[in-house]
Amino acid sequence: NKKAFVELLFWKSPAAVCAMTQGYSSLQEGEGTTRSRVPLWTPQEEQELRELYWKYKEVEGGDVIAAILAHLPTPGRTRRQVVKQLVRM
């Protein structure tokens, strides 16, 4: 690609650099170094998260998110995912 030097002037993520070096079709095909998709929250999980939040939000001196993670029925959720979903809701 004769115009690749122009792309080097701007910040690139590792996935974009991989696409530049291996060809742009690699990201479209699902290959490359892209992050795995975060599983979506089901309505049941959102309801459970809402109930756990209302249950533990009034506990003084405790970490609300840690309490929610301890009682969340779906394993594998991270603290960041829980906080992001609470903010979104």
Side-chain angles (χ1 to χ4, degrees), residues 62-75:
D63 186 8
V64 176
I65 304 301
I68 290 173
L69 281 172
H71 294 93
L72 201 61
T74 308

Side-chain angles (χ1 to χ4, degrees), residues 6-79:
V6 175
E7 292 191 28
L8 296 175
L9 297 174
F10 302 98
W11 178 258
K12 302 288 183 219
S13 68
V17 172
C18 182
M20 286 175 58
T21 58
Q22 296 179 358
Y24 286 103
S25 64
S26 66
L27 289 179
Q28 295 171 355
E29 297 170 359
E31 300 173 0
T33 59
T34 59
R35 279 192 231 168
S36 63
R37 299 276 182 213
V38 176
L40 297 176
W41 290 80
T42 63
Q44 294 83 10
E45 290 175 329
E46 286 182 357
Q47 181 63 29
E48 184 70 27
L49 183 62
R50 189 175 291 114
E51 290 171 3
L52 287 171
Y53 173 74
W54 286 108
K55 182 178 179 181
Y56 293 110
K57 78 174 192 142
E58 298 296 327
V59 177
E60 292 188 28
D63 186 8
V64 176
I65 304 301
I68 290 173
L69 281 172
H71 294 93
L72 201 61
T74 308
R77 295 284 184 187
T78 63
R79 181 180 184 91

